[in-house]
Amino acid sequence: MKGYWIATYTEIKDPERLKKYADKTKEAVEKYSGKILARSANNTAKEGREKVRVALAEFADVETAKKCYESNEYVEARTYLQDNAIREVVIFEGM
């Protein structure tokens, strides 16, 4: 089964730093043969808290998604989020 990341953001302070994060993340995801399926600030919360941004990435399986998340490349990308964003990330298995 495929592996997925979903990231939901409740706050972003500096959109320029987020863009740098997104560029670095794309490189990391592609290195692990993943694909960013969607990212958008245009979303509507029907239950729970409003989100300012949502992103979804797909990988061959959950283990690959976890390896990418823990990779040096993605750790470097996340430095652009420090003191810049509040978010939640979930890695899950899906079909």
Side-chain angles (χ1 to χ4, degrees), residues 4 16 43 87:
Y4 297 89
E16 288 304 311
N43 63 83
R87 70 181 190 151

Side-chain angles (χ1 to χ4, degrees), residues 71-89:
S71 71
N72 291 334
E73 294 84 3
Y74 190 63
V75 168
E76 179 184 340
R78 288 197 318 260
T79 64
Y80 292 102
L81 296 178
Q82 291 173 352
D83 300 320
N84 187 41
I86 298 172
R87 70 181 190 151
E88 295 179 353
V89 176

Side-chain angles (χ1 to χ4, degrees), residues 26-45:
K26 184 178 181 213
E27 292 172 18
V29 167
E30 288 175 350
K31 179 177 179 181
Y32 285 83
S33 300
K35 181 178 177 182
I36 296 173
L37 298 178
R39 317 188 255 233
S40 180
N42 185 9
N43 63 83
T44 303

